[in-house]
Amino acid sequence: SMKRAISGVVFLSALAPAVRSQNAGAPPEAQIRTTRIPRVSRPPTIEDFLLKRPREAEAVLNDFRQREPRDGQPVSQPTTAYLSYDDHNLYVVFECQEEPGKVRARMAKREDIGEDDAVGIALDTFHDRQRAYGFSVNPLGIQRDSYSTEGQSSDTRFDTLWYSEGRLTPTGYTVWISIPFRSLRFSPSDVQVWGLALSRRIVRNNETSNWPHVSLKEQGTIRQYGIMEGLEGISPSRNVQIIPYGSYADASVLDDRTGAFRPQRDFRAGADGKIVLRNAFTFDLTVNPDFS
């Protein structure tokens, strides 16, 4: 990525989609699954689920259907997702059952989870059935995000700020996801209606399942998403993010000329920035990138 290879570079990209009818390319209304998610006053935590502590109301979705290998059949391992939101974040927690010792997960680099079991959420925030954000997490909490356009491959160069945790359990694993609204682009309407899809990948079965059912027999994927209602009074706010970094190293290095050790110190600092204007243009800036 040039962002991490050249200091002082500014990138400009347009994220807001063209205005389209919400019914463009949509399947019949009778086939569209709808869920309403509640607002909570206290964010759910992964410990609430692991310790079975009482929680506030949440949307519960568990009718996951296979896309591969058996299109339309129920997911092979029980899978439940719990959704809620507050003023600032969207929350989704997955409880995934699996046979002991069968979960595939590595403590990998961010984005490098293609060979792991994973769960995910996709959001068509403008509900135009053409574009969607994707957020995936492996059982250990490693993230991958992307931006998709119908008919094209997902753009994994997309990166935004969000949070995740994952824990292995005796019966499978649990994943917690929190997505700040300020990390998304959506219309300024007080009442939001978004497209929604949830997913689970089980590598040992070469299996991918979704809520709602996203069939291989239908053309397109985003047009098959369900509908998420209940989001009210949220805003991406003034989206300016500055993420500084710093590192310091102190070592003793052998001097070949004298045979003695000499101190070697290294300090680096820099920052990444993201500025969003009018929900339509994103400026990504970097100063002295860390090459991580």
Side-chain angles (χ1 to χ4, degrees), residues 192-226:
Q192 298 285 323
V193 177
W194 293 359
L196 170 70
L198 305 170
S199 64
R200 180 181 180 184
R201 182 174 68 232
I202 303 175
V203 175
R204 67 182 178 88
N205 294 342
N206 293 317
E207 178 181 334
T208 301
S209 299
N210 299 93
W211 182 100
H213 177 212
V214 178
S215 176
L216 285 170
K217 300 174 184 177
E218 298 287 338
Q219 183 177 5
T221 55
I222 299 176
R223 63 185 297 272
Q224 298 185 61
Y225 285 8

Side-chain angles (χ1 to χ4, degrees), residues 11-29:
F11 291 87
L12 172 63
S13 59
L15 285 184
V19 176
R20 299 174 182 265
S21 167
Q22 290 189 356
N23 293 321
E29 290 295 327

